[in-house]
Amino acid sequence: MKVLFIHQNFPGQFRHFAAHLAQQPDVEVLAVGRETAPGMKDIKLLRYRPRRGPSKETHPYVRTFEDAVLHGQQVLRMLLDLKKEGYRPDIVIAHPGWGETLYVKLAFPDTRLIHFIEYYYHLEGADVGFDPEFPFGIENAAFVSSRNPLHLFNIEQCDVAITPTYWQKSLCPMAYHDKIHVIHEGVDVDQLGPNATAFLEFPNGKRLHPGDSVVTYVARNLEPYRGFHCFMRALPELLNAHPDCQVIVVGGDEVSYGDTPNDAPNWREKLLRENPVDLERVHFLGKVSYDIYRCILQVSAVHVYLTYPFVLSWSMLEAMACGCLLVASDTAPVREVVRHGKNGWLFDFFDGKALVEYVLNALSNPPEAATLRANAQRSVQAYSTEKGIAGYMAWVEKLCGPV
């Protein structure tokens, strides 16, 4: 069987499944990604780059669609070259969010196509307009609405659509729900878990161990979509109320979602200026290696996770897998995993006082914390890579026959 993965940032969400397929003796795996894609060992990656970006003359509302067309056009050229060489994939598994697969069926009309459907925009009930601090005008509403035709076409043209959570599925048009299946790609729970011997050492020689009063916060980038502004505004009160706690913040200074601040280079600098804290107690580590990241979660006494109603971060599930006590925002994607008082605590995204109260309670009540930690670790087994691989494999075999 020939399997073709297409993902701008390959492997992205397909890391574990692609690795699994690559180990099967009768499966040939090939991948397509942009020139910036990290790639994977033992999987051939064909890199592409659009010949140009969208024109400045294009209407702003449809500029992202023109960009998608340019991505799709370049990938089509690559696929047609492969076809001339005799290549015919049995199945294509792709993240279509940037337009790469717009024309896959033109190159291979009989090839089965599985799409990873990540998000379908709404003007109410999801991320848009959720945070009153960032008003959303009519121009932005029109711009966001104009992004959905690409995503609608992506659902329409694939044979099967897969999305990680039921909440993400609920955002998609009801007419397509029978076509969309919920399979989370999974986190590597076997490589996570508590570690009593873990420690985190700082350049000055200070070490933190499991059992210390350590509060952790992780995001790919430090920005409002992941509640960084709410977290920073709660820190002064938390540090004052618990003089011994240490806070570890992991994340970059770029923007994954939303905009940069108008009055500072990044959200970290802006919010530090507005909420001064003792940098001997609050440690901004930037982006770290996976081993250090895992160690941070293993020494954590309480892990704070906030998000707009948006795509759920792997970091929340990985924190639970490490046995962290989770204090998280009571937003739709989080509620799908976290049960308040059972495997973590939930609080209103905008309620900084509640955030502080739950963190302080977590630091001062070890027996209750131990129960929540154990429950979190058990419940996240439902999001293991093994279950994700099995779910994807079932659809590959249903569409193409046994592997």
Side-chain angles (χ1 to χ4, degrees), residues 251-295:
D253 287 331
E254 300 170 355
V255 170
S256 300
Y257 315 105
D259 299 316
T260 56
N262 295 325
D263 55 351
N266 54 64
W267 289 104
R268 177 180 56 83
E269 292 188 31
K270 173 180 171 63
L271 290 160
L272 266 175
R273 184 178 66 224
E274 296 173 358
N275 307 273
V277 294
D278 182 358
L279 295 181
E280 292 296 315
R281 296 178 61 195
V282 181
H283 310 276
F284 290 90
L285 303 187
K287 295 183 178 181
V288 300
S289 70
Y290 186 80
D291 287 343
I292 293 176
Y293 163 67
R294 177 174 55 189
C295 183

Side-chain angles (χ1 to χ4, degrees), residues 8-9 32-38 45-50 71:
Q8 184 180 90
N9 302 310
V32 168
R34 272 203 68 150
E35 79 281 5
T36 53
L45 174 62
L46 302 178
R47 300 177 184 273
Y48 78 93
R49 181 179 182 179
H71 281 71

Side-chain angles (χ1 to χ4, degrees), residues 44-351:
K44 183 178 180 181
L45 174 62
L46 302 178
R47 300 177 184 273
Y48 78 93
R49 181 179 182 179
R51 294 186 179 179
R52 65 172 179 87
S55 171
K56 293 180 181 179
E57 303 302 317
T58 301
H59 193 289
Y61 294 176
V62 294
R63 201 166 288 159
T64 55
F65 191 79
E66 183 187 8
D67 195 41
V69 168
L70 292 165
H71 281 71
Q73 180 185 46
Q74 195 62 24
V75 171
L76 175 61
R77 289 172 177 141
M78 181 177 288
L79 298 183
L80 291 175
D81 287 342
L82 288 171
K83 189 173 184 178
K84 288 179 183 176
E85 297 169 5
Y87 179 76
R88 299 287 191 282
D90 295 290
I91 191 166
V92 174
I93 303 169
H95 189 315
W98 299 275
E100 282 87 348
T101 60
L102 277 171
Y103 313 115
V104 163
K105 288 284 190 176
L106 296 182
F108 303 116
D110 298 324
T111 292
R112 298 293 192 159
L113 177 61
I114 293 179
H115 270 164
F116 179 92
I117 300 299
E118 189 163 20
Y119 206 65
Y120 195 88
Y121 288 93
H122 284 249
L123 298 182
E124 294 181 354
D127 60 318
V128 174
F130 171 74
D131 193 337
E133 186 171 338
F134 305 99
F136 207 76
I138 193 68
E139 286 294 321
N140 282 334
F143 173 78
V144 168
S145 297
S146 300
R147 301 188 71 166
N148 273 339
L150 170 64
H151 304 308
L152 188 63
F153 187 74
N154 289 334
I155 301 172
E156 171 66 32
Q157 71 161 341
C158 66
D159 295 288
V160 169
I162 291 175
T163 196
T165 66
Y166 288 95
W167 182 73
Q168 284 163 280
K169 176 177 178 176
S170 74
L171 298 177
C172 296
M174 185 66 69
Y176 291 96
H177 277 206
D178 288 346
K179 191 178 189 177
I180 303 170
H181 305 276
V182 177
I183 303 171
H184 196 281
E185 62 274 10
V187 296
D188 197 351
V189 296
D190 292 337
Q191 298 299 316
L192 299 165
N195 180 3
T197 64
F199 66 88
L200 183 68
E201 185 170 0
F202 296 106
N204 64 4
K206 179 179 179 60
R207 285 189 173 190
L208 297 176
H209 301 83
D212 293 339
S213 297
V214 178
V215 179
T216 53
Y217 172 95
V218 172
R220 177 170 43 166
N221 285 302
L222 307 177
E223 55 193 330
Y225 254 70
R226 297 309 187 188
F228 180 62
H229 56 321
C230 299
F231 179 73
M232 285 297 299
R233 290 164 185 165
L235 271 188
E237 182 179 347
L238 173 62
L239 295 168
N240 184 59
H242 197 296
D244 297 327
C245 76
Q246 296 280 315
V247 179
I248 300 173
V249 180
V250 173
D253 287 331
E254 300 170 355
V255 170
S256 300
Y257 315 105
D259 299 316
T260 56
N262 295 325
D263 55 351
N266 54 64
W267 289 104
R268 177 180 56 83
E269 292 188 31
K270 173 180 171 63
L271 290 160
L272 266 175
R273 184 178 66 224
E274 296 173 358
N275 307 273
V277 294
D278 182 358
L279 295 181
E280 292 296 315
R281 296 178 61 195
V282 181
H283 310 276
F284 290 90
L285 303 187
K287 295 183 178 181
V288 300
S289 70
Y290 186 80
D291 287 343
I292 293 176
Y293 163 67
R294 177 174 55 189
C295 183
I296 290 167
L297 296 178
Q298 290 170 335
V299 303
S300 175
V302 55
H303 183 77
V304 178
Y305 178 74
L306 298 103
T307 185
Y308 284 10
F310 196 57
V311 176
L312 192 69
S313 305
W314 289 334
S315 65
M316 192 195 85
L317 300 173
E318 289 168 331
M320 296 174 73
C322 283
C324 288
L325 195 161
L326 192 68
V327 172
S329 59
D330 187 10
T331 40
V334 178
R335 286 195 296 269
E336 193 164 318
V337 181
V338 181
R339 300 290 181 268
H340 180 68
K342 302 296 183 181
N343 58 354
W345 281 316
L346 299 177
F347 66 97
D348 186 280
F349 180 95
F350 303 104
D351 192 344

Side-chain angles (χ1 to χ4, degrees), residues 22-33:
Q23 295 170 359
Q24 308 309 308
D26 297 323
V27 177
E28 176 187 324
V29 178
L30 180 65
V32 168

